[in-house]
Amino acid sequence: DVVITRCAMGVHMKGVDDLRIQNSAIRNNGCLIGYDHNTYFRRATYTLLKNLDISDCKAGNGFNLSTNCNNVILDTCNASNNHFRGIRFEANDGGSRMMIINCITNGNGLNETQPGIRVANVPDFTILGCTANGNGDNGIYVVGSSNGLVKNNTATGNVNANYRYQNVSSTTYINNN
């Protein structure tokens, strides 16, 4: 139940284990284009972010995750109208088991040609019940990932494509509109 706004970086967590942030607004942050985010996680394990407003980041992503994160869940978050992506899960340096559930990612990356949701190089991922409308690139973009579930999502009116999958394996796609 906190509000963090108008900061360079809203919340930047490194090396955390068993963290929960719920019912909060971490919005309207960012000052350096591309590097300041509303929320940024590295080396996070067993992390739950639930019922968050992570929208209107002036410089970066609503949620940015990179570098060896495991068992991270975003549930019922609004990651809309951010300068870059709404939600970015990128496991280039390791990580697995990441879930995006019931999140809204509308109107992101309009000036930067960025998607609402980007999942890259993540083994064991879930995107469930999300909305990705009117983003500057793809609504939901999954690349280099495996063992995923993409189910019951809605993506409309995105600039390039509503859904884009590139080099994705062993993934189930069900009832995406």
Side-chain angles (χ1 to χ4, degrees):
D1 295 315
V2 300
V3 175
I4 299 171
T5 187
R6 297 181 3 196
C7 298
M9 185 78 73
V11 171
H12 189 172
M13 294 286 180
K14 294 181 180 178
V16 296
D17 187 25
D18 198 19
L19 173 71
R20 285 165 184 75
I21 301 175
Q22 297 180 187
N23 308 319
S24 297
I26 307 167
R27 61 186 315 274
N28 197 24
N29 297 292
C31 68
L32 297 174
I33 299 297
Y35 299 103
D36 291 336
H37 310 288
N38 282 329
T39 51
Y40 185 15
F41 283 66
R42 300 176 75 168
R43 299 182 319 278
T45 303
Y46 300 109
T47 300
L48 171 66
L49 291 94
K50 185 171 179 139
N51 298 323
L52 300 183
D53 179 356
I54 49 177
S55 60
D56 299 310
C57 183
K58 302 303 179 202
N61 301 323
F63 180 82
N64 191 75
L65 175 147
S66 66
T67 311
N68 202 21
C69 293
N70 297 284
N71 300 302
V72 175
I73 301 170
L74 264 68
D75 186 355
T76 319
C77 295
N78 180 3
S80 297
N81 303 315
N82 294 291
H83 185 76
F84 276 173
R85 302 160 201 96
I87 297 171
R88 174 185 178 242
F89 276 22
E90 191 121 4
N92 292 336
D93 299 323
S96 67
R97 291 202 74 213
M98 299 178 195
M99 301 176 77
I100 304 167
I101 304 168
N102 299 320
C103 291
I104 299 169
T105 59
N106 297 335
N108 295 289
L110 296 178
N111 296 319
E112 298 292 333
T113 315
Q114 295 292 333
I117 297 173
R118 176 183 165 95
V119 174
N121 305 310
V122 178
D124 195 2
F125 71 93
T126 300
I127 305 171
L128 176 65
C130 294
T131 302
N133 298 327
N135 294 288
D137 191 22
N138 305 293
I140 296 175
Y141 177 44
V142 181
V143 59
S145 299
S146 61
N147 301 315
L149 172 64
V150 182
K151 182 178 179 184
N152 295 338
N153 300 291
T154 301
T156 61
N158 296 287
V159 171
N160 288 323
N162 292 321
Y163 296 92
R164 182 172 176 210
Y165 308 106
Q166 184 178 354
N167 301 322
V168 177
S169 63
S170 302
T171 294
T172 302
Y173 308 94
I174 301 171
N175 196 31
N176 296 294
N177 300 315

